[in-house]
């Protein structure tokens, strides 16, 4: 079962409200590319302030309007349910897409938090490198890609981006 979300008025119902079928239908609709239908169901049937509902609204916004449009729902999802780990990675992607003042720095903080919480996983280390590249911190990004490759020597993105970072450094920094 989904965790309960606590608000000032007390514990809420499950995120799917009165329609438990949403728990299976939402992921299926998204997999089928039917994000508009999924969003309509969320807005009409799900608990509006629940972290999982807000997360799914972020997914729908990202699909329908572009990843940058998902920042607000993902931020609200994390505020409502701080333990919803998947929302953090999606928020990093949304910040990278939106790139308003401060977004890259916020993305870096989130990416580093994810990487430190999953030190054995290559992908979070890679995401740190991606954000650092966007910040034009090529030496630090190269280090993040090296960390990725120590965990997954076949990680294609880390190989490609790592080489690109090294090419951006002055010859004496390589």
């Amino acid at each position: 079962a989904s965790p309960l979300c606590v608000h000032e008025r007390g514990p809420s119902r499950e995120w799917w409200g009165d329609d438990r079928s949403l728990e299976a239908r939402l992921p299926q609709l998204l997999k089928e590319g039917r994000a508009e239908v999924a969003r309509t169901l969320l807005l009409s049937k799900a608990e509006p302030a629940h972290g999982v509902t807000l997360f799914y609204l972020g997914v729908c916004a990202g699909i329908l309007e572009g990843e940058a449009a998902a920042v607000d729902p993902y931020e609200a999802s994390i505020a409502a349910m701080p333990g919803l780990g998947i929302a953090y990675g999606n928020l990093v992607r949304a910040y990278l897409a939106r790139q308003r003042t401060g977004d890259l720095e916020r993305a870096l903080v989130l990416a580093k938090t994810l990487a430190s919480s999953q030190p054995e996983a290559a992908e979070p280390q890679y995401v740190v490198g991606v954000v650092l590249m966007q910040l034009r911190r090529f030496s630090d990004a190269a280090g993040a890609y090296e960390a990725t490759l120590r965990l997954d020597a076949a990680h294609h993105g880390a190989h490609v981006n790592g080489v690109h970072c090294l090419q951006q450094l002055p010859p004496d920094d390589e």
Side-chain angles (χ1 to χ4, degrees):
S2 298
L4 291 177
C5 182
V6 179
H7 302 283
E8 60 278 352
R9 64 180 185 274
S12 72
R13 300 183 302 169
E14 297 288 353
W15 73 269
W16 57 76
D18 293 327
D19 188 353
R20 186 180 183 106
S21 72
L22 287 179
E23 188 174 28
R25 286 174 64 201
L26 257 292
Q28 186 61 39
L29 287 168
L30 293 170
K31 186 187 283 186
E32 293 169 358
R34 299 173 62 202
E36 188 61 52
V37 173
R39 180 161 57 186
T40 300
L41 283 172
L42 285 165
L43 294 172
S44 65
K45 297 187 177 234
E47 285 292 305
H50 197 288
V52 174
T53 301
L54 295 163
F55 169 77
Y56 276 129
L57 286 171
V59 172
C60 292
I63 293 168
L64 296 168
E65 300 151 36
E67 202 65 47
V71 168
D72 290 340
Y74 288 144
E75 286 179 337
S77 173
I78 291 167
M81 186 176 275
L84 190 59
I86 192 169
Y88 291 84
N90 287 21
L91 181 55
V92 169
R93 280 199 331 267
Y95 280 144
L96 288 173
R98 187 174 77 170
Q99 291 197 17
R100 287 187 188 160
T101 302
D103 279 353
L104 291 177
E105 291 76 11
R106 284 188 280 280
L108 182 59
V109 169
L110 286 174
K112 284 183 173 182
T113 300
L114 284 171
S116 66
S117 72
Q118 301 175 50
E120 72 293 339
E123 196 61 24
Q125 316 308 319
Y126 173 74
V127 172
V128 170
V130 170
V131 177
L132 287 165
M133 273 184 79
Q134 291 292 313
L135 288 165
R136 304 191 61 73
R137 291 175 45 188
F138 296 112
S139 181
D140 293 335
Y145 294 134
E146 285 179 35
T148 303
L149 292 169
R150 280 193 295 275
L151 296 166
D152 178 2
H155 195 290
H156 180 73
H159 282 286
V160 171
N161 288 349
V163 168
H164 179 72
C165 285
L166 293 175
Q167 290 171 339
Q168 301 306 309
L169 298 175
D172 60 330
D173 283 351
E174 291 179 11

